[in-house]
Amino acid sequence: MKKLVIASNNKGKIAEIAEILGGHFEVVSMKEAGLEVDIEETGTTFEQNAIIKAKACFERTGLPSLADDSGLCVDGLDGAPGVDSAVYAQSKDAHYSQLTSDQNIDLLLSNLKNIKDRSAKFVCVMVLFDGTRIISGYGETHGKILSERVGAGGFGYDPIFWSDDLEQSFALATAKDKNKVSHRRRALDDLLKHYQNS
Ligand code: IMP
């Protein structure tokens, strides 16, 4: 079975991807492939960032590499925080590592205070680069932004995201249920379809 490096240091993400792609690839983490770096996301779109990460990982390991980029897009805020989801509350003098999901959530709730349209989606782009081909997959999952945190599970914006599919906050859903409808799941399914047809 072909080896595939996941260009991420997030254990949860790697496990989720391994579960979905396990029948097709021998999935290894960057660490298992001997790579211990954080690849900087300098793109302005989800796809650009995923390509940057997949290519950087391939260049350093020589192995087919898979990268994702994801974020939350809120309709009433013209798609913000979007590609800036991880660093939404970052002020000019704050360092990335000091930022917490709580600060991002607080800022989002405050920016939505006087806005009626709270519909939102999580978006994910997955990119596989094998040295010649770039194969990508796209996925989204829909819902709305709650007015306060509900549930303590998940990560990032999960406590304020009401999932239309699960009819509950992502932070109350089990990992198994979330993984069935998540933007990452859908992007991986889409990528697999393109991979099998390529
Ligand atoms: P990245 O794909 O690791 O760059 O994630 C970007 C940011 O989007 C994360 O730091 C989270 O804030 C947010 N995000 C992406 N996916 C999810 C999710 O499934 N739940 C909650 N937040 C998410």
Side-chain angles (χ1 to χ4, degrees):
M1 211 183 282
K2 260 192 201 165
K3 263 193 184 166
L4 180 69
V5 188
I6 311 301
S8 168
N9 288 317
N10 180 325
K11 278 187 192 156
K13 237 188 228 181
I14 295 167
E16 191 179 318
I17 294 170
E19 190 194 311
I20 298 166
L21 295 184
H24 303 268
F25 298 94
E26 182 194 337
V27 173
V28 295
S29 65
M30 286 208 298
K31 207 172 169 188
E32 286 165 335
L35 194 59
E36 289 199 49
V37 288
D38 260 333
I39 301 162
E40 227 188 310
E41 299 177 11
T42 51
T44 54
T45 64
F46 293 116
E47 185 161 31
Q48 278 175 9
N49 279 334
I51 290 173
I52 288 168
K53 288 188 274 187
K55 283 191 164 172
C57 189
F58 175 84
E59 275 156 20
R60 290 172 169 91
T61 62
L63 291 168
S65 299
L66 179 87
D68 82 318
D69 198 42
S70 59
L72 177 67
C73 303
V74 181
D75 291 342
L77 297 175
D78 295 329
V83 283
D84 297 325
S85 291
V87 292
Y88 190 43
Q90 184 177 30
S91 66
K92 283 193 182 80
D93 52 4
H95 186 263
Y96 176 88
S97 62
Q98 294 170 332
L99 200 72
T100 66
S101 294
D102 260 344
Q103 289 168 286
N104 286 331
I105 288 178
D106 287 342
L107 179 63
L108 188 66
L109 290 179
S110 137
N111 287 345
L112 273 174
K113 237 178 209 159
N114 299 314
I115 293 177
K116 270 204 179 124
D117 184 2
R118 301 180 77 94
S119 52
K121 62 186 176 190
F122 277 116
V123 169
C124 176
V125 175
M126 290 272 175
V127 166
L128 192 164
F129 182 62
D130 64 2
T132 41
R133 291 175 304 171
I134 291 176
I135 300 168
S136 56
Y138 178 81
E140 47 185 56
T141 192
H142 291 250
K144 66 171 191 290
I145 304 302
L146 296 161
S147 53
E148 56 186 37
R149 293 164 173 81
V150 176
F155 73 101
Y157 297 91
D158 280 348
I160 54 163
F161 186 79
W162 170 271
S163 160
D164 287 348
D165 289 295
L166 300 179
E167 298 189 329
Q168 64 179 348
S169 139
F170 259 177
L172 282 181
T174 62
K176 201 172 167 198
D177 282 343
K178 183 184 166 191
N179 290 347
K180 278 185 205 154
V181 302
S182 79
H183 42 312
R184 267 179 294 281
R185 170 82 211 207
R186 290 173 176 163
L188 272 178
D189 287 346
D190 189 43
L191 182 141
L192 264 186
K193 220 167 49 197
H194 295 149
Y195 178 77
Q196 282 155 350
N197 292 334
S198 70

